[in-house]
Amino acid sequence: NGTGNGIQAFGYGTIRIYNNQVENAGFDRTATGQESVYCNDHLNKVETNPKQQIIFNSNTIKYPKTRGAIRVAGYNNYSDPSSMYNNTVYLPNAPTNWQSLYLITNVPRSSSYNNVVIR
């Protein structure tokens, strides 16, 4: 029941996030909570290659809040396409469109595949 994100990534280059287990993260006492995993591409003035690419695979997210299990934001347009694959999300009463609600990437041309939900 941690109050913030379970994992945060704000670096540059290829960032591989794998073989982690995050459970009950994001409990901030709001209706939506926070993401279990949050990635964003904040620009760093000293970075020579200011592009971020997230590769998120083989992780287990248990009981994410409604804000999302994984969010790769890319809000600043300094991201290359991300990929999310082979992840497991424990989500009781998961809706049929759970992937679009809980595995979110705002980075164009990103991919998400072979992710499973356990209801």
Side-chain angles (χ1 to χ4, degrees):
N1 293 317
T3 59
N5 309 108
I7 297 174
Q8 294 179 335
F10 301 111
Y12 291 92
T14 301
I15 300 170
R16 299 176 192 279
I17 303 171
Y18 59 95
N19 295 337
N20 297 287
Q21 181 171 311
V22 178
E23 185 171 350
N24 289 324
F27 185 72
D28 65 0
R29 300 187 192 277
T30 65
T32 59
Q34 294 185 27
E35 300 88 346
S36 297
V37 178
Y38 179 72
C39 308
N40 200 354
D41 56 358
H42 298 292
L43 184 60
N44 178 336
K45 302 277 189 220
V46 298
E47 180 60 47
T48 59
N49 182 20
K51 288 284 186 178
Q52 175 190 80
Q53 181 182 35
I54 301 294
I55 300 173
F56 192 87
N57 70 291
S58 304
N59 296 284
T60 301
I61 308 296
K62 292 185 173 184
Y63 317 113
K65 305 304 177 230
T66 57
R67 180 131 178 133
I70 307 162
R71 181 179 305 270
V72 179
Y75 293 137
N76 299 303
N77 298 315
Y78 296 114
S79 290
D80 287 330
S82 62
S83 59
M84 292 185 252
Y85 60 93
N86 297 338
N87 298 291
T88 302
V89 178
Y90 285 74
L91 188 61
N93 304 312
T96 55
N97 63 339
W98 71 273
Q99 288 195 70
S100 64
L101 297 173
Y102 285 86
L103 304 179
I104 304 156
T105 181
N106 300 104
V107 180
R109 300 180 321 279
S110 292
S111 60
S112 178
Y113 55 93
N114 288 344
N115 299 296
V116 297
V117 66
I118 296 179
R119 292 180 164 93

